[in-house]
Amino acid sequence: MRLRRAAHLALVAALTGSVLSVLPSSATATDTPEIAHYSSQVVNDGADVYYPAGVQGELPVALLMQGAKVHRMYYAAYARAVAAYGFVVVVPNHKRLVFFDSNYYPSQKMPAEAIGWMADENVDASSPLAGHIDTDTLVLLGHSFGGAAALGVAEESCGIPFCTTLGYSLPDEVKAASLYGTNNKSPLFGTSASMDNQIPVQLVQGTVDGAALPADAETSYAKLENGPKQIVRVGGANHYGITDVQSPAGAEAESSAQTLSQAASIATSARWAALFLKAQLGDAAAADYVYSTGDAADPGVTVTSATS
């Protein structure tokens, strides 16, 4: 097992006027920095990029791997919420052919493409992020199909339809993953295989998800062989708890109604994702929240973790 962990993220106070370590569950817009946005291109994929305005120093990049058939525009609020914790969030539209269907389907080559984008963007004088990207650090956000692809990245395995080459190597820059509405249950065999994950993995699961069932997330969490790992159960959230709207146009419809407001499910999921990822990058305050105080402080979630 080659679990890779980084310990080098230190956000400068100038980012928000003070170091933004933990936004409490009651945080309002006045507690968060202004988030800037621009359009970019990651190889052949159009992409949206979100980052804290007025950034100084270097920030890690979070690659958001979309759900099947979900256009990147539907992740705007979630991406902004994660970016507020001190990330550059990149959301590509990765369109390709899967089983005779050409649509938005993330693949395991996306992290390597994002790493190339990071290096190019950091030295592009015309980019608002020139000189502000930590090119050694990439973390993954995933939703549904994109989360399943990210699980293949995490365990350094290769399987159709997420990986179409003979093998897969986990890039050194990829440090951790937070995945929403995700499991590794085989649609053919109905079972979940053990996962020798090489990086920390967090599963964020809505308790009323009608597409990626909560029981399957629990099984997949148990199948992750290595810590740090965590499962966060968001009460009242369904499969589209992190998208701007329920059942985004073009995507498969959700059969289970969400009882939590969209704003609340996005804020809660983004908070736990961002702080878990920051914890893996060496942020002590974030680690204290996700492993010690957050579960009790956030009545909307229940959390199970293993740190080793």
Side-chain angles (χ1 to χ4, degrees), residues 51-77:
Y51 64 98
V55 59
Q56 298 182 27
E58 295 181 344
L59 296 182
V61 173
L63 171 66
L64 199 165
M65 300 169 68
Q66 69 209 111
K69 305 179 183 181
V70 183
H71 192 282
R72 70 178 189 262
M73 67 181 178
Y74 292 111
Y75 295 103

mmCIF file of all heavy atoms in Angstrom, residues 51-77:
data_model
loop_
_atom_site.group_PDB
_atom_site.id
_atom_site.type_symbol
_atom_site.label_atom_id
_atom_site.label_comp_id
_atom_site.label_asym_id
_atom_site.label_seq_id
_atom_site.Cartn_x
_atom_site.Cartn_y
_atom_site.Cartn_z
ATOM 1 N N TYR A 51 -12.278 30.257 -7.842
ATOM 2 C CA TYR A 51 -11.184 30.464 -6.890
ATOM 3 C C TYR A 51 -11.475 31.696 -6.041
ATOM 4 O O TYR A 51 -12.241 32.578 -6.451
ATOM 5 C CB TYR A 51 -9.854 30.632 -7.632
ATOM 6 C CG TYR A 51 -9.787 31.862 -8.502
ATOM 7 C CD1 TYR A 51 -9.180 33.032 -8.061
ATOM 8 C CD2 TYR A 51 -10.365 31.869 -9.781
ATOM 9 C CE1 TYR A 51 -9.133 34.169 -8.859
ATOM 10 C CE2 TYR A 51 -10.323 33.000 -10.583
ATOM 11 C CZ TYR A 51 -9.711 34.144 -10.120
ATOM 12 O OH TYR A 51 -9.681 35.272 -10.897
ATOM 13 N N PRO A 52 -10.886 31.788 -4.851
ATOM 14 C CA PRO A 52 -11.102 32.976 -4.015
ATOM 15 C C PRO A 52 -10.492 34.214 -4.666
ATOM 16 O O PRO A 52 -9.315 34.215 -5.040
ATOM 17 C CB PRO A 52 -10.371 32.631 -2.713
ATOM 18 C CG PRO A 52 -10.254 31.136 -2.722
ATOM 19 C CD PRO A 52 -10.100 30.759 -4.160
ATOM 20 N N ALA A 53 -11.288 35.250 -4.817
ATOM 21 C CA ALA A 53 -10.803 36.479 -5.433
ATOM 22 C C ALA A 53 -9.709 37.098 -4.569
ATOM 23 O O ALA A 53 -9.709 36.973 -3.348
ATOM 24 C CB ALA A 53 -11.955 37.464 -5.607
ATOM 25 N N GLY A 54 -8.754 37.755 -5.219
ATOM 26 C CA GLY A 54 -7.676 38.392 -4.484
ATOM 27 C C GLY A 54 -6.693 37.406 -3.902
ATOM 28 O O GLY A 54 -6.002 37.702 -2.918
ATOM 29 N N VAL A 55 -6.614 36.228 -4.500
ATOM 30 C CA VAL A 55 -5.752 35.180 -3.961
ATOM 31 C C VAL A 55 -4.292 35.623 -3.928
ATOM 32 O O VAL A 55 -3.805 36.289 -4.845
ATOM 33 C CB VAL A 55 -5.897 33.875 -4.787
ATOM 34 C CG1 VAL A 55 -5.528 34.097 -6.238
ATOM 35 C CG2 VAL A 55 -5.067 32.752 -4.195
ATOM 36 N N GLN A 56 -3.620 35.258 -2.833
ATOM 37 C CA GLN A 56 -2.178 35.453 -2.717
ATOM 38 C C GLN A 56 -1.574 34.102 -2.318
ATOM 39 O O GLN A 56 -2.213 33.299 -1.663
ATOM 40 C CB GLN A 56 -1.837 36.523 -1.679
ATOM 41 C CG GLN A 56 -2.383 37.898 -2.025
ATOM 42 C CD GLN A 56 -1.986 38.947 -1.007
ATOM 43 O OE1 GLN A 56 -0.965 38.831 -0.341
ATOM 44 N NE2 GLN A 56 -2.805 39.984 -0.879
ATOM 45 N N GLY A 57 -0.355 33.862 -2.709
ATOM 46 C CA GLY A 57 0.230 32.559 -2.439
ATOM 47 C C GLY A 57 -0.296 31.508 -3.395
ATOM 48 O O GLY A 57 -0.914 31.823 -4.409
ATOM 49 N N GLU A 58 -0.050 30.240 -3.072
ATOM 50 C CA GLU A 58 -0.452 29.126 -3.927
ATOM 51 C C GLU A 58 -1.595 28.343 -3.296
ATOM 52 O O GLU A 58 -1.609 28.109 -2.087
ATOM 53 C CB GLU A 58 0.734 28.187 -4.168
ATOM 54 C CG GLU A 58 1.877 28.821 -4.948
ATOM 55 C CD GLU A 58 3.014 27.849 -5.189
ATOM 56 O OE1 GLU A 58 3.055 26.791 -4.514
ATOM 57 O OE2 GLU A 58 3.865 28.148 -6.039
ATOM 58 N N LEU A 59 -2.524 27.920 -4.137
ATOM 59 C CA LEU A 59 -3.663 27.123 -3.684
ATOM 60 C C LEU A 59 -3.664 25.765 -4.373
ATOM 61 O O LEU A 59 -3.270 25.648 -5.537
ATOM 62 C CB LEU A 59 -4.978 27.834 -4.009
ATOM 63 C CG LEU A 59 -5.245 29.171 -3.324
ATOM 64 C CD1 LEU A 59 -6.616 29.692 -3.739
ATOM 65 C CD2 LEU A 59 -5.162 29.036 -1.822
ATOM 66 N N PRO A 60 -4.123 24.731 -3.669
ATOM 67 C CA PRO A 60 -4.285 23.423 -4.312
ATOM 68 C C PRO A 60 -5.472 23.433 -5.249
ATOM 69 O O PRO A 60 -6.399 24.247 -5.094
ATOM 70 C CB PRO A 60 -4.530 22.484 -3.119
ATOM 71 C CG PRO A 60 -5.172 23.360 -2.096
ATOM 72 C CD PRO A 60 -4.549 24.712 -2.259
ATOM 73 N N VAL A 61 -5.468 22.528 -6.204
ATOM 74 C CA VAL A 61 -6.556 22.418 -7.181
ATOM 75 C C VAL A 61 -7.440 21.235 -6.828
ATOM 76 O O VAL A 61 -6.949 20.142 -6.493
ATOM 77 C CB VAL A 61 -5.999 22.267 -8.607
ATOM 78 C CG1 VAL A 61 -7.124 21.969 -9.605
ATOM 79 C CG2 VAL A 61 -5.253 23.527 -9.029
ATOM 80 N N ALA A 62 -8.749 21.448 -6.893
ATOM 81 C CA ALA A 62 -9.733 20.379 -6.728
ATOM 82 C C ALA A 62 -10.406 20.152 -8.080
ATOM 83 O O ALA A 62 -11.032 21.063 -8.627
ATOM 84 C CB ALA A 62 -10.773 20.748 -5.675
ATOM 85 N N LEU A 63 -10.247 18.956 -8.615
ATOM 86 C CA LEU A 63 -10.872 18.573 -9.882
ATOM 87 C C LEU A 63 -12.220 17.938 -9.592
ATOM 88 O O LEU A 63 -12.290 16.921 -8.899
ATOM 89 C CB LEU A 63 -9.986 17.583 -10.631
ATOM 90 C CG LEU A 63 -10.601 16.917 -11.868
ATOM 91 C CD1 LEU A 63 -10.866 17.937 -12.971
ATOM 92 C CD2 LEU A 63 -9.707 15.789 -12.366
ATOM 93 N N LEU A 64 -13.297 18.535 -10.130
ATOM 94 C CA LEU A 64 -14.629 17.991 -9.925
ATOM 95 C C LEU A 64 -15.003 17.136 -11.136
ATOM 96 O O LEU A 64 -15.133 17.638 -12.250
ATOM 97 C CB LEU A 64 -15.649 19.118 -9.727
ATOM 98 C CG LEU A 64 -16.973 18.738 -9.059
ATOM 99 C CD1 LEU A 64 -17.715 19.994 -8.594
ATOM 100 C CD2 LEU A 64 -17.887 17.906 -9.947
ATOM 101 N N MET A 65 -15.185 15.835 -10.902
ATOM 102 C CA MET A 65 -15.546 14.880 -11.947
ATOM 103 C C MET A 65 -17.060 14.682 -11.890
ATOM 104 O O MET A 65 -17.593 14.117 -10.931
ATOM 105 C CB MET A 65 -14.759 13.581 -11.750
ATOM 106 C CG MET A 65 -13.249 13.821 -11.829
ATOM 107 S SD MET A 65 -12.206 12.426 -11.312
ATOM 108 C CE MET A 65 -12.531 11.235 -12.629
ATOM 109 N N GLN A 66 -17.757 15.161 -12.900
ATOM 110 C CA GLN A 66 -19.201 15.283 -12.915
ATOM 111 C C GLN A 66 -19.918 13.939 -12.933
ATOM 112 O O GLN A 66 -19.367 12.897 -13.291
ATOM 113 C CB GLN A 66 -19.617 16.093 -14.150
ATOM 114 C CG GLN A 66 -19.388 15.367 -15.474
ATOM 115 C CD GLN A 66 -19.116 16.304 -16.619
ATOM 116 O OE1 GLN A 66 -18.013 16.341 -17.107
ATOM 117 N NE2 GLN A 66 -20.108 17.060 -17.079
ATOM 118 N N GLY A 67 -21.200 13.984 -12.571
ATOM 119 C CA GLY A 67 -22.047 12.811 -12.703
ATOM 120 C C GLY A 67 -22.389 12.561 -14.151
ATOM 121 O O GLY A 67 -22.293 13.445 -15.011
ATOM 122 N N ALA A 68 -22.817 11.335 -14.465
ATOM 123 C CA ALA A 68 -23.155 10.978 -15.839
ATOM 124 C C ALA A 68 -24.237 11.902 -16.386
ATOM 125 O O ALA A 68 -25.276 12.118 -15.747
ATOM 126 C CB ALA A 68 -23.632 9.531 -15.904
ATOM 127 N N LYS A 69 -23.956 12.486 -17.543
ATOM 128 C CA LYS A 69 -24.899 13.308 -18.293
ATOM 129 C C LYS A 69 -25.242 14.633 -17.596
ATOM 130 O O LYS A 69 -26.230 15.284 -17.969
ATOM 131 C CB LYS A 69 -26.185 12.525 -18.594
ATOM 132 C CG LYS A 69 -25.968 11.199 -19.301
ATOM 133 C CD LYS A 69 -27.276 10.483 -19.551
ATOM 134 C CE LYS A 69 -27.067 9.117 -20.184
ATOM 135 N NZ LYS A 69 -28.339 8.412 -20.445
ATOM 136 N N VAL A 70 -24.442 15.017 -16.605
ATOM 137 C CA VAL A 70 -24.704 16.265 -15.891
ATOM 138 C C VAL A 70 -23.750 17.344 -16.401
ATOM 139 O O VAL A 70 -22.534 17.233 -16.240
ATOM 140 C CB VAL A 70 -24.544 16.094 -14.372
ATOM 141 C CG1 VAL A 70 -24.908 17.407 -13.666
ATOM 142 C CG2 VAL A 70 -25.420 14.956 -13.854
ATOM 143 N N HIS A 71 -24.284 18.387 -17.019
ATOM 144 C CA HIS A 71 -23.463 19.486 -17.529
ATOM 145 C C HIS A 71 -22.763 20.187 -16.374
ATOM 146 O O HIS A 71 -23.311 20.327 -15.275
ATOM 147 C CB HIS A 71 -24.354 20.468 -18.287
ATOM 148 C CG HIS A 71 -23.610 21.473 -19.099
ATOM 149 N ND1 HIS A 71 -23.001 22.585 -18.541
ATOM 150 C CD2 HIS A 71 -23.378 21.543 -20.445
ATOM 151 C CE1 HIS A 71 -22.427 23.295 -19.494
ATOM 152 N NE2 HIS A 71 -22.638 22.692 -20.661
ATOM 153 N N ARG A 72 -21.558 20.674 -16.641
ATOM 154 C CA ARG A 72 -20.752 21.297 -15.594
ATOM 155 C C ARG A 72 -21.417 22.513 -14.966
ATOM 156 O O ARG A 72 -21.149 22.846 -13.807
ATOM 157 C CB ARG A 72 -19.383 21.697 -16.151
ATOM 158 C CG ARG A 72 -19.401 22.859 -17.136
ATOM 159 C CD ARG A 72 -17.990 23.203 -17.591
ATOM 160 N NE ARG A 72 -17.925 24.444 -18.362
ATOM 161 C CZ ARG A 72 -17.899 24.535 -19.667
ATOM 162 N NH1 ARG A 72 -17.959 23.416 -20.405
ATOM 163 N NH2 ARG A 72 -17.813 25.698 -20.272
ATOM 164 N N MET A 73 -22.306 23.175 -15.697
ATOM 165 C CA MET A 73 -22.916 24.400 -15.170
ATOM 166 C C MET A 73 -23.750 24.139 -13.923
ATOM 167 O O MET A 73 -23.981 25.054 -13.123
ATOM 168 C CB MET A 73 -23.778 25.067 -16.237
ATOM 169 C CG MET A 73 -25.016 24.294 -16.638
ATOM 170 S SD MET A 73 -25.944 25.191 -17.933
ATOM 171 C CE MET A 73 -27.291 24.054 -18.249
ATOM 172 N N TYR A 74 -24.193 22.896 -13.734
ATOM 173 C CA TYR A 74 -25.039 22.584 -12.591
ATOM 174 C C TYR A 74 -24.263 22.410 -11.289
ATOM 175 O O TYR A 74 -24.867 22.163 -10.236
ATOM 176 C CB TYR A 74 -25.865 21.325 -12.882
ATOM 177 C CG TYR A 74 -26.909 21.545 -13.956
ATOM 178 C CD1 TYR A 74 -26.787 20.936 -15.200
ATOM 179 C CD2 TYR A 74 -28.004 22.366 -13.732
ATOM 180 C CE1 TYR A 74 -27.729 21.139 -16.193
ATOM 181 C CE2 TYR A 74 -28.955 22.573 -14.715
ATOM 182 C CZ TYR A 74 -28.819 21.955 -15.941
ATOM 183 O OH TYR A 74 -29.762 22.173 -16.919
ATOM 184 N N TYR A 75 -22.953 22.542 -11.347
ATOM 185 C CA TYR A 75 -22.135 22.426 -10.135
ATOM 186 C C TYR A 75 -21.617 23.784 -9.666
ATOM 187 O O TYR A 75 -20.741 23.846 -8.795
ATOM 188 C CB TYR A 75 -20.950 21.489 -10.394
ATOM 189 C CG TYR A 75 -21.363 20.068 -10.667
ATOM 190 C CD1 TYR A 75 -21.369 19.564 -11.972
ATOM 191 C CD2 TYR A 75 -21.767 19.224 -9.632
ATOM 192 C CE1 TYR A 75 -21.753 18.259 -12.230
ATOM 193 C CE2 TYR A 75 -22.153 17.916 -9.893
ATOM 194 C CZ TYR A 75 -22.144 17.443 -11.184
ATOM 195 O OH TYR A 75 -22.533 16.142 -11.438
ATOM 196 N N ALA A 76 -22.168 24.871 -10.198
ATOM 197 C CA ALA A 76 -21.630 26.200 -9.894
ATOM 198 C C ALA A 76 -21.670 26.517 -8.403
ATOM 199 O O ALA A 76 -20.672 26.967 -7.823
ATOM 200 C CB ALA A 76 -22.396 27.258 -10.683
ATOM 201 N N ALA A 77 -22.800 26.297 -7.749
ATOM 202 C CA ALA A 77 -22.916 26.642 -6.328
ATOM 203 C C ALA A 77 -22.003 25.770 -5.471
ATOM 204 O O ALA A 77 -21.344 26.260 -4.535
ATOM 205 C CB ALA A 77 -24.367 26.510 -5.872
#
